[in-house]
Amino acid sequence: MADTEQETEQGTPGSGDGAAAKVAKEAARADRRAARLAKEIGAFARAHGGAEGQVAYIGERGARIVLVGADGGWGDLVAPSHAIATSAVEKAGITVHEDFDGDFAAKVTTGPYEWKRMAGIQIGGPKGA
């Protein structure tokens, strides 16, 4: 009887251990992905004299991290989930905005390429552009 009680408390060999290992493995993978994204965010921030960001949910694809440098340069990264994106910006230590509007959006500097590209999209632009 004592053996049965002990098995019940500890679980039978293999019961649930695979699920726990899978969850731990997924958590470790997510942490590594967040660390890689944080490294990329840090590199962007160093190249642009600092950076601020915004995390936006983009559906099944995950979340988009929009970065704006102190010099007005901008870029983005895509994370497989909102949780990973949030973890990445926290690890990178940048300021995160709730929305991409107002003062934050005004910090973005666009050049001739962006204006030409935006105009081309609006009026049809050249084929293949």
Side-chain angles (χ1 to χ4, degrees):
M1 180 92 171
D3 291 336
T4 307
E5 289 176 12
Q6 188 175 11
E7 278 186 30
T8 304
E9 290 174 10
Q10 295 176 352
T12 56
S15 67
D17 292 340
K22 185 177 180 181
V23 168
K25 191 174 184 179
E26 289 175 8
R29 183 178 296 140
D31 193 46
R32 286 191 305 271
R33 180 66 177 149
R36 281 193 301 270
L37 287 167
K39 192 181 238 186
E40 291 181 52
I41 293 167
F44 178 89
R46 284 188 298 279
H48 295 276
E52 298 176 45
Q54 190 256 338
V55 177
Y57 177 71
I58 56 174
E60 257 184 59
R61 177 94 168 127
R64 180 179 184 207
I65 305 167
V66 179
L67 301 169
V68 178
D71 63 356
W74 58 277
D76 67 343
L77 298 167
V78 175
S81 72
H82 195 275
I84 291 173
T86 301
S87 177
V89 294
E90 287 173 2
K91 287 176 189 268
I94 64 170
T95 300
V96 180
H97 297 269
E98 291 292 321
D99 296 310
F100 193 82
D101 60 358
D103 293 334
F104 182 50
K107 292 179 181 182
V108 175
T109 302
T110 53
Y113 170 79
E114 288 86 5
W115 284 104
K116 182 178 177 183
R117 183 89 172 136
M118 287 186 281
I121 291 169
Q122 294 297 318
I123 58 174
K127 293 193 187 281

